[in-house]
Amino acid sequence: MKHAHAQSRDSVKMAAGQQWVLVEMVQAFYEAPAYHLILEGILILWIIRLLFSKTYKLQERSDLTEKEKEELIEEWQPEPLVPPVSKDHPSLNYDVVTGPPSHKIIVNGKECINFASFNFLGLLDSERVKLKALLSLKKYGVGTCGPRGFYGTFDVHLELEERLAKFMRTEEAIIYSYGFATIASAIPAYSKRGDIIFVDEAACFSIQKGLQASRSFVKHFKHNDMEDLERLLKEQEIEDQKNPRKARVIRRFIVVEGLYINTADICPLPDLVKLKYKYKVRIFLEESMSFGVLGEHGRGVTEHFGVNIDDIDLISANMENALASIGGFCCGRSFVIDHQRLSGQGYCFSASLPPMLASAAIEALNIMEEDPGIFRVLQDKCKHVHKALQGTPGLKVVGEPLAPALHLQLENSTGSRTNDLKLLRAIVDYSMDRQIALTLARYLEKEERFLPPPSIRVVVTVEQTQEEIERAAQCIREAAVKILK
Amino acid sequence: MTSLKYRRVNVSDEHHLRNGALKAHSDLKQGSNNLKNGYHVTEKVQKNGNGDSFYQPRVRGEDSFEEAPMYVAVMTYMGYGIVILFGYFRDFLRAVGLEKCHQAQEREEQKDFVPLYQDFENFYKRNLYMRVRDNWNRPICSLPGPVFDVMERVSDDYNWTFRLTGKTIENVINMGSYNYLGFAENNVDFLKTVAEETRQYGVGVCSTRQELGNLSIHEKLERLVAEFLGVESAMAFGMGFATNSMNIPALVGKGCLILSDELNHTSLILGARLSGATIRVFKHNNMQSLEKLLKEAICSGQPRTHRGWKKILIMVEGIYSMEGSLVRLPEILALKKKYKAYLYLDEAHSIGAVGPTGRGVTEHFGVDPNEVDVLMGTFTKSFGATGGYIAGKKELVDYLRSHSHSAVYATAMSPPVVEQIIRAIKCIMGVDGTTEGQRRVRQLSENTRYLRSRLKEMGFIIYGNQDSPVVPLLLYLPGKVGAFSRAMLKRKIGVVVVGFPATPIAEARARFCVSAAHTREMLDKVLQSLDELGDHIRVKFSRHRPSRRQELYNETDFEQDS
């Protein structure tokens, strides 16, 4: 009997396709003793009984009477919808800007020089852009009253998409009506449950939300650390070898930012492209801070490194910084981009961009194309600011010399985030009193996956003069000396 | 022990009319306040029980969901079956090279990567959507007002690509845009302030609300929105979709329960999913289903641990954009009170579009807006702008100011857009010194009733509530969807058609959005065309008998427990 059992077990272990297994089993059946067969017969009957008996639910088992239920409902006390916010919560009382947030900005009633808005190219104040917006307003009114699919596609949208694609030298571009929603919609359009995304730890919040919405498997690598990324890719390769059939359907993506908003440094794109082909992973690149900033023609980090833009599967950027309008866009090959027209949630289910904002973006692109020297000017100013801020006592400059939005962090933290923020806020206030508008970099502390240390944001624009930059640096130095002691 | 009684009232037609726009003010005073268990729908207008309360529950029309005859359902499924079979056949032809494949291809260098798309999704797009693709994304080159100019486009490769011919089809009647109150307009006088703001501010902001993007006009707008809605406070955001998806996560999280209507908009679903809360779905507008879920949730707590839920949030919309149905607000409010849940009301389509003075569903039902915990709405539709708001108690809005994803990470609203909203709201409220806003609200309500009743007379199956300016006309068969839309465009009427996956597979439909800017002549032209076309392509499916779906809602006097 033992023999027969072992034999049948062995035969089961063998590949199922083999025909003679059945014969072996029939043989084993004949060899087995009677009591064994009876036992198995009873077991089979038991299984049949289980199959046909009434299933019970957990709830039915609980003996709650109606009265008890009423009591439970009576007793249950929910938490308040929102916890109370104290009146002096640091992020409750906003600075109020009256008038336009341009080079000269009036914050809380004081006129300052703007070192805080992402108006890198000064296009917010451009009369040309305003004029185009006004012409558009006259023709189209303000809103589009519909999503792109339902008569929300205007000729200006098509023109803007074409212009963006041409500017970036890609096949196709797609525009969204909100910068934040761009990458946050693009990621889940491609990456689904079960897919794997390798993402930099310093990735901005909209990427994080996109990852979350995709429900994919997310693997974080250390900021700009290609070795760490390769380690993860290798791990995955080993994993894939274990189950090659599954590996054939798992899509993989690397999501990085061109110029990180949280750390103000540039991603090592050439290395990423190498890894892309080595491990067959697609690259999504978020360029909100680098589009219209880096590169000879402002095409961003691909131009900066001289990387072939076709090697990047998808590039997204918002039109709210350098272009000084509203909205965002994705560009790349039609094979990739066109998919979003049915699958990008923020594209399909949201009203399209107001035509006047699209017109403004087109005119801003015109200016960028006509005068590529503007990027040179910006890059020089960035270097200047970066240099001028070096050696500020108690503060360290975080970011590349080419970054248009730097961070000033405390050299020595007090040990508590709240106190650090208070110190930095005091520096911001001090500067604000002396006509230099700065801002703290704001984060949702509980929501960020890797919370960046507290910092002051210093934004460079082409409108700032040498003298203003010196004045700002001087002012920050004074404030640091005074406040940080 | 309370026994809940739903008493649905069969309301006569003339009574409906009394509910209309401006007349309703007089009704306000008479409405009965017979809220025995908190949520009785009153039977007719009775004598006043409690005179000092301004908000009086009001009788409302029923949502109707007439069912199509059986043969239609059979034909619909057959239609899909044939298209799918053909799709396989043509895929086969493409595979063996007999048919040219127009689809964009993967780069040669990346052919050995894991395929970017799953096959079924592409199958649907390639073989079903491609056949009717010309009915969507039609580009226009004018104001999206009551009439617009459509840019003519042709396809040389069976809808894979389109080529603009350079011609425009002018003065197409616009039945597709959400321009309920006609604020999509380019009258220079009306837009004077918007133009001024553009000249002064430019179009962008280049910063977030929490950093240096909080302009005084944003605050002005928020005060005005709060005043308009009759609540303590409000906050405005740059995109309607993101208002939901970026704020719901700030309100609920792990350990909370979201009860969501099955037909809720994608943005609500995305927000709920991003929040990390447990989501349970109740049947569309079905109070029994909702109450059952509420009861069960409180009695058995969270799954596995059986710990009590931290909070329960009911998420509903004012007007459902694909069904044209109105939320059953009074009943939901009563349930919410009984079970201590919170209510999130998305008024994307209803704000401005319903209620005697355009204040949305709360006003339509005569409910105090302060009873709704979270009032959300968009500026895209009735206000002819873009963006959204959340309004309610000051604590709620203060919390969002400090914790909303949008306030911290997203660029603030464009100043000209803000001014457009301010202008529109002022007009509706009448603070601009004219009665134009109220005229529009009244006109919209008249147009809605007119179009809906005429369509019903003609024998079309029309979904939704008689007061809802969203008017879905059921086409069912996939083949009729394209035919309908193309034939209408030929008659110079722009309509929206929707099918799977935006609707259930067997319920493809056309959807009209009524606007106050539509003149009677326009509507008559649309109706006449529909009448002819309806006979021609045979989509007058109505048999004028109450549907099964409606009976469900009409269930009278059922005892909930005891």
Side-chain angles (χ1 to χ4, degrees):
Chain A
M1 176 199 91
K2 229 177 187 178
H3 171 73
H5 235 55
Q7 212 173 20
S8 67
R9 222 182 301 138
D10 277 352
S11 56
V12 167
K13 262 187 209 162
M14 284 180 206
Q18 285 162 318
Q19 286 279 317
W20 49 271
V21 172
L22 205 74
V23 183
E24 295 260 304
M25 272 163 70
V26 173
Q27 221 170 359
F29 184 78
Y30 280 121
E31 281 171 21
Y35 74 90
H36 189 105
L37 289 178
I38 291 165
L39 192 75
E40 294 206 345
I42 291 170
L43 280 174
I44 288 168
L45 285 176
W46 182 253
I47 288 169
I48 291 170
R49 200 197 108 109
L50 279 179
L51 280 176
F52 286 95
S53 67
K54 219 177 112 198
T55 52
Y56 61 88
K57 284 184 195 153
L58 267 175
Q59 261 174 331
E60 279 174 35
R61 232 177 31 161
S62 77
D63 312 304
L64 289 180
T65 62
E66 284 303 319
K67 188 153 178 267
E68 283 167 321
K69 280 187 186 170
E70 292 284 337
E71 278 169 9
L72 276 172
I73 291 165
E74 199 65 37
E75 277 166 25
W76 181 66
Q77 278 306 329
E79 285 179 8
L81 179 61
V82 289
V85 185
S86 71
K87 271 210 175 86
D88 52 348
H89 190 285
S91 48
L92 181 58
N93 303 300
Y94 295 175
D95 292 316
V96 183
V97 176
T98 35
S102 45
H103 178 52
K104 291 270 166 61
I105 183 172
I106 300 168
V107 189
N108 303 331
K110 274 172 258 161
E111 190 186 276
C112 304
I113 300 160
N114 194 342
F115 279 86
S117 308
F118 297 131
N119 180 18
F120 305 137
L121 302 175
L123 294 175
L124 188 63
D125 321 316
S126 160
E127 287 305 317
R128 273 178 68 181
V129 172
K130 286 181 189 174
L131 204 69
K132 273 285 151 68
L134 281 169
L135 282 177
S136 182
L137 174 70
K138 220 179 234 170
K139 184 172 177 196
Y140 301 101
V142 181
T144 59
C145 289
R148 285 292 293 268
F150 305 156
Y151 304 104
T153 302
F154 286 58
D155 47 355
V156 278
H157 294 136
L158 299 178
E159 187 187 343
L160 177 57
E161 285 179 346
E162 208 181 301
R163 289 294 306 279
L164 283 165
K166 208 176 117 217
F167 181 84
M168 293 298 284
R169 301 189 167 170
T170 53
E171 277 180 15
E172 193 168 338
I174 180 172
I175 52 173
Y176 283 78
S177 53
Y178 203 46
F180 188 95
T182 313
I183 189 72
S185 294
I187 294 173
Y190 303 97
S191 187
K192 311 282 180 193
R193 201 191 281 276
D195 296 336
I196 301 172
I197 307 179
F198 301 91
V199 64
D200 194 291
E201 281 183 357
C204 66
F205 198 71
S206 54
I207 292 182
Q208 294 172 37
K209 288 292 122 179
L211 300 176
Q212 203 187 334
S214 76
R215 298 189 275 188
S216 306
F217 221 23
V218 179
K219 298 192 171 180
H220 291 90
F221 59 91
K222 291 207 184 74
H223 175 54
N224 271 349
D225 185 342
M226 291 303 104
E227 276 167 26
D228 197 38
L229 172 59
E230 186 153 18
R231 179 182 64 81
L232 289 174
L233 289 166
K234 266 195 187 128
E235 266 175 25
Q236 186 55 40
E237 201 176 42
I238 294 164
E239 200 65 26
D240 288 347
Q241 277 157 5
K242 280 188 205 152
N243 194 348
R245 198 186 287 175
K246 197 173 153 206
R248 276 207 295 275
V249 293
I250 299 176
R251 284 164 287 219
R252 307 112 215 275
F253 304 90
I254 298 173
V255 180
V256 287
E257 273 179 80
L259 207 161
Y260 285 87
I261 187 169
N262 291 350
T263 59
D265 52 5
I266 301 172
C267 73
L269 197 60
D271 298 342
L272 283 162
V273 172
K274 265 180 226 151
L275 289 177
K276 163 183 168 161
Y277 287 107
K278 190 167 172 199
Y279 294 95
K280 311 210 184 311
V281 198
R282 295 170 197 274
I283 299 182
F284 285 3
L285 182 63
E286 217 294 323
E287 290 224 66
S288 289
M289 298 306 276
S290 48
F291 169 75
V293 174
L294 292 181
E296 202 186 332
H297 300 90
R299 290 193 194 109
V301 73
T302 46
E303 194 185 24
H304 175 78
F305 282 114
V307 168
N308 177 5
I309 202 156
D310 279 343
D311 282 334
I312 311 300
D313 293 84
L314 179 138
I315 290 179
S316 91
N318 70 28
M319 306 191 280
E320 295 164 352
N321 300 342
L323 281 180
S325 182
I326 297 288
F329 70 91
C330 288
C331 64
R333 303 194 45 190
S334 292
F335 173 73
V336 180
I337 299 301
D338 190 56
H339 181 66
Q340 287 177 55
R341 297 195 193 274
L342 283 181
S343 304
Q345 289 202 330
Y347 178 87
C348 298
F349 297 102
S350 159
S352 54
L353 186 66
M356 65 183 298
L357 303 179
S359 295
I362 293 173
E363 190 60 16
L365 270 178
N366 284 339
I367 295 174
M368 279 161 64
E369 277 179 349
E370 281 164 27
D371 177 22
I374 196 171
F375 304 111
R376 185 88 230 175
V377 176
L378 178 64
Q379 285 157 16
D380 287 343
K381 295 234 154 114
C382 290
K383 284 181 206 153
H384 186 184
V385 171
H386 191 265
K387 203 169 149 214
L389 288 174
Q390 298 295 331
T392 310
L395 290 175
K396 61 172 184 250
V397 182
V398 176
E400 300 256 342
L402 278 179
L406 295 162
H407 291 271
L408 288 173
Q409 288 173 6
L410 289 175
E411 249 165 18
N412 304 308
S413 164
T414 56
S416 113
R417 195 171 172 98
T418 324
N419 289 342
D420 285 1
L421 278 168
K422 264 187 198 145
L423 282 177
L424 291 171
R425 178 73 216 186
I427 295 175
V428 169
D429 287 340
Y430 180 96
S431 308
M432 216 96 96
D433 284 337
R434 281 152 193 80
Q435 275 94 49
I436 303 294
L438 298 169
T439 180
L440 293 177
R442 303 282 196 164
Y443 304 100
L444 285 173
E445 297 178 7
K446 292 203 180 95
E447 306 280 329
E448 288 276 357
R449 171 126 194 159
F450 300 96
L451 182 63
S455 67
I456 297 173
R457 216 191 274 292
V458 183
V459 180
V460 189
T461 75
V462 290
E463 290 172 302
Q464 292 154 1
T465 62
Q466 298 279 84
E467 187 234 320
E468 282 164 347
I469 292 174
E470 289 301 333
R471 227 178 88 200
Q474 181 61 31
C475 176
I476 295 169
R477 209 167 297 131
E478 273 172 34
V481 170
K482 199 147 176 265
I483 290 150
L484 303 176
K485 299 269 161 30
Chain B
M1 178 135 118
T2 47
S3 92
L4 298 177
K5 255 183 198 172
Y6 294 85
R7 183 164 295 161
R8 309 298 318 146
V9 185
N10 286 323
V11 204
S12 61
D13 266 335
E14 66 267 47
H15 193 82
H16 285 165
L17 292 173
R18 295 191 53 204
N19 246 343
L22 287 186
K23 277 186 196 155
H25 257 310
S26 51
D27 281 4
L28 272 182
K29 289 280 161 303
Q30 305 167 25
S32 135
N33 197 24
N34 181 18
L35 286 168
K36 207 188 280 165
N37 287 316
Y39 66 127
H40 243 89
V41 180
T42 52
E43 1 214 52
K44 290 225 166 173
V45 175
Q46 290 176 352
K47 75 171 179 262
N48 207 339
N50 184 357
D52 50 14
S53 158
F54 175 78
Y55 299 102
Q56 301 286 336
R58 228 193 313 262
V59 190
R60 56 180 282 270
E62 285 296 328
D63 296 335
S64 84
F65 292 101
E66 186 179 337
E67 265 197 4
M70 180 59 101
Y71 79 91
V72 177
V74 174
M75 302 247 293
T76 306
Y77 283 110
M78 265 170 61
Y80 277 104
I82 293 167
V83 181
I84 287 170
L85 278 179
F86 245 87
Y88 279 118
F89 178 60
R90 291 182 63 183
D91 270 2
F92 168 74
L93 291 184
R94 285 185 194 111
V96 297
L98 284 172
E99 189 182 329
K100 200 180 154 212
C101 186
H102 300 276
Q103 207 163 5
Q105 296 295 318
E106 177 86 278
R107 288 173 81 201
E108 275 309 315
E109 294 92 319
Q110 289 180 225
K111 282 258 155 109
D112 53 346
F113 279 43
V114 175
L116 190 55
Y117 307 120
Q118 272 158 6
D119 208 49
F120 176 74
E121 208 179 339
N122 263 356
F123 178 87
Y124 187 83
K125 189 179 154 188
R126 200 165 49 225
N127 295 310
L128 281 80
Y129 175 64
M130 259 326 140
R131 291 168 172 272
V132 287
R133 189 171 169 227
D134 56 314
N135 299 303
W136 290 276
N137 301 304
R138 284 183 184 147
I140 67 170
C141 55
S142 73
L143 179 80
V147 292
F148 53 31
D149 301 339
V150 177
M151 297 162 83
E152 191 186 73
R153 50 178 193 174
V154 289
S155 177
D156 304 321
D157 49 7
Y158 305 102
N159 286 352
W160 285 96
T161 55
F162 291 105
R163 179 166 55 82
L164 293 169
T165 59
K167 280 185 235 154
T168 50
I169 311 164
E170 274 167 27
N171 291 323
V172 176
I173 299 176
N174 178 3
M175 296 305 291
S177 298
Y178 308 129
N179 181 21
Y180 300 127
L181 293 180
F183 282 107
E185 56 194 349
N186 56 6
N187 182 318
V188 181
D189 292 333
F190 292 162
L191 290 180
K192 213 171 74 192
T193 51
V194 181
E196 271 164 25
E197 299 290 309
T198 315
R199 242 171 254 128
Q200 193 196 347
Y201 286 86
V203 296
V205 181
C206 295
S207 190
T208 67
R209 290 292 295 277
Q210 286 213 353
E211 292 184 0
L212 270 196
N214 178 45
L215 308 187
S216 51
I217 52 167
H218 292 138
E219 299 194 339
K220 183 176 156 197
L221 169 67
E222 286 166 356
R223 282 192 299 271
L224 189 66
V225 170
E227 194 194 325
F228 175 66
L229 296 170
V231 293
E232 286 174 9
S233 194
M235 184 164 187
F237 306 92
M239 183 195 197
F241 185 97
T243 307
N244 279 330
S245 61
M246 293 169 83
N247 285 306
I248 294 169
L251 299 176
V252 285
K254 255 208 163 82
C256 301
L257 177 68
I258 292 177
L259 298 178
S260 167
D261 191 289
E262 63 179 340
L263 294 180
N264 272 344
H265 189 250
T266 316
S267 56
L268 286 164
I269 299 166
L270 179 64
R273 201 188 282 167
L274 289 177
S275 73
T278 307
I279 306 163
R280 285 180 192 158
V281 177
F282 60 92
K283 291 212 183 76
H284 174 52
N285 248 348
N286 187 326
M287 294 306 112
Q288 295 143 273
S289 171
L290 175 61
E291 179 158 23
K292 202 173 143 226
L293 283 180
L294 277 167
K295 206 176 215 176
E296 193 203 301
I298 298 174
C299 291
S300 46
Q302 299 185 35
R304 291 205 1 256
T305 60
H306 295 285
R307 214 171 273 150
W309 294 101
K310 284 184 188 160
K311 44 194 166 186
I312 298 177
L313 183 69
I314 303 170
M315 274 187 350
V316 290
E317 288 185 47
I319 290 180
Y320 290 84
S321 64
M322 287 297 164
E323 316 295 301
S325 49
L326 247 73
V327 64
R328 304 168 82 86
L329 191 62
E331 291 97 322
I332 288 186
L333 279 174
L335 282 179
K336 159 198 133 63
K337 266 183 218 146
K338 184 179 175 208
Y339 293 96
K340 288 168 268 186
Y342 299 106
L343 180 60
Y344 188 106
L345 176 63
D346 176 342
E347 293 218 66
H349 285 268
S350 52
I351 189 68
V354 293
T357 65
R359 261 101 168 154
V361 279
T362 50
E363 193 190 31
H364 178 80
F365 289 108
V367 170
D368 182 352
N370 289 295
E371 286 185 33
V372 180
D373 301 279
V374 189
L375 284 163
M376 179 272 167
T378 64
F379 300 125
T380 317
K381 283 119 195 166
S382 299
F383 306 106
T386 187
Y389 65 81
I390 284 189
K393 296 254 159 24
K394 190 171 176 302
E395 300 90 74
L396 168 79
V397 177
D398 278 354
Y399 185 80
L400 286 179
R401 276 185 210 288
S402 45
H403 292 84
S404 159
H405 298 182
S406 189
V408 187
Y409 297 102
T411 304
M413 281 173 99
S414 162
V417 174
V418 171
E419 182 55 36
Q420 160 77 4
I421 303 162
I422 292 177
R423 167 186 94 82
I425 295 182
K426 278 185 173 167
C427 182
I428 301 170
M429 289 170 81
V431 291
D432 61 345
T434 68
T435 52
E436 175 62 16
Q438 284 315 300
R439 188 196 65 76
R440 291 185 186 197
V441 172
R442 202 169 56 239
Q443 187 68 50
L444 174 66
S445 150
E446 266 173 34
N447 286 355
T448 302
R449 293 270 168 96
Y450 179 69
L451 187 78
R452 275 184 168 272
S453 64
R454 289 287 309 274
L455 285 175
K456 279 202 170 154
E457 278 168 26
M458 288 176 187
F460 291 107
I461 294 187
I462 302 295
Y463 273 4
N465 193 284
Q466 57 162 356
D467 289 310
S468 134
V470 179
V471 186
L473 184 156
L474 272 288
L475 299 171
Y476 299 102
L477 285 86
K480 304 208 172 187
V481 171
F484 180 82
S485 174
R486 286 172 200 144
M488 286 301 270
L489 187 62
K490 254 195 200 128
R491 288 159 205 256
K492 288 203 168 194
I493 296 164
V495 295
V496 163
V497 284
V498 273
F500 183 76
T503 65
I505 193 146
E507 291 186 18
R509 63 196 69 173
R511 186 186 62 180
F512 310 120
C513 290
V514 183
S515 165
H518 287 137
T519 59
R520 187 51 69 94
E521 291 75 52
M522 290 176 195
L523 293 180
D524 281 336
K525 192 188 160 198
V526 172
L527 285 164
Q528 197 204 335
S529 303
L530 280 173
D531 197 18
E532 291 163 17
L533 193 63
D535 288 329
H536 184 61
I537 63 169
R538 295 181 175 275
V539 285
K540 294 183 174 175
F541 295 118
S542 175
R543 289 163 299 171
H544 292 291
R545 65 172 182 78
S547 76
R548 222 187 293 157
R549 236 162 136 174
Q550 196 173 9
E551 274 161 24
L552 181 72
Y553 299 130
N554 275 341
E555 214 148 340
T556 46
D557 283 4
F558 68 90
E559 302 283 329
Q560 192 59 29
D561 45 36
S562 81

